[in-house]
């Protein structure tokens, strides 16, 4: 990508962003489930255990909802290793592409690239 400010380079970006956010949400939820499970086994208060158990069940349900969404959108392919590998490679290539962007290009002139609103 030569110019990240050129609108043509934003084609497909919403889908990439959505899948990235969903994956981060899935992994964060999974970490929360793990941490809450540990905390549940370490607490001695029955009232607190009940609250944690309820929260754990909610988080597990949320995890499966996110997983189902990602499977439906084909952002996650746990049963197709070759397909998942392709998704992971594409994601890594996009990350490298973004990391190599020149955030301070020499020419910042955007004249003519965006429509100018009519003057009233």
């Amino acid at each position: 990508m030569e110019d990240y400010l050129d609108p043509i380079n934003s084609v497909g970006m919403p889908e990439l962003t959505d899948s990235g956010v969903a994956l981060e949400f899935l992994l964060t939820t999974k970490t929360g489930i793990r941490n809450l499970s540990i905390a549940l086994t370490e607490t001695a208060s029955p009232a607190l255990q009940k609250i944690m158990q309820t929260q754990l069940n909610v988080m597990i349900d949320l995890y499966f909802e996110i997983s189902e969404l990602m499977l439906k959108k084909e952002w996650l392919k746990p049963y197709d290793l070759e397909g998942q590998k392709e998704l992971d490679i594409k994601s890594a290539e996009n990350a490298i592409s973004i990391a190599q962007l020149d955030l301070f290009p020499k020419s910042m002139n955007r004249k003519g690239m965006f429509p100018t609103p009519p003057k009233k």
Side-chain angles (χ1 to χ4, degrees), residues 42-55:
E42 298 293 325
T43 190
S45 166
L48 193 52
Q49 286 176 343
K50 186 172 182 169
I51 292 169
M52 287 182 169
Q53 182 67 47
T54 301
Q55 186 62 36

Side-chain angles (χ1 to χ4, degrees), residues 38-75:
I38 293 168
L40 180 62
T41 62
E42 298 293 325
T43 190
S45 166
L48 193 52
Q49 286 176 343
K50 186 172 182 169
I51 292 169
M52 287 182 169
Q53 182 67 47
T54 301
Q55 186 62 36
L56 182 61
N57 290 334
V58 168
M59 289 182 74
I60 290 170
D61 290 342
L62 176 62
Y63 179 84
F64 285 111
E65 284 182 40
I66 299 166
S67 300
E68 288 173 15
L69 173 71
M70 292 182 72
L71 288 168
K72 180 180 169 186
K73 298 273 190 174
E74 296 188 356
W75 295 338

Side-chain angles (χ1 to χ4, degrees), residues 1 15 24 27 69 74 88 91 95 98 100 102 106 114:
M1 179 184 320
E15 294 81 17
E24 186 63 32
L27 295 174
L69 173 71
E74 296 188 356
D88 292 344
S91 178
I98 290 168
Q100 293 175 339
D102 180 12
K106 291 180 174 110
F114 300 98

Side-chain angles (χ1 to χ4, degrees), residues 5 7 18 27 32-33 38 44 57 73 79 81 86 100 109 117 120:
L5 294 175
D18 289 348
L27 295 174
I33 290 169
I38 293 168
N57 290 334
K73 298 273 190 174
Y79 305 110
L81 294 180
E86 289 174 19
Q100 293 175 339
N109 183 0
K120 292 182 180 180

Side-chain angles (χ1 to χ4, degrees), residues 82-101:
E82 194 60 37
Q84 185 63 49
K85 179 179 152 186
E86 289 174 19
L87 286 175
D88 292 344
I89 290 171
K90 183 179 177 184
S91 178
E93 288 171 347
N94 285 328
I96 291 169
S97 171
I98 290 168
Q100 293 175 339
L101 288 175

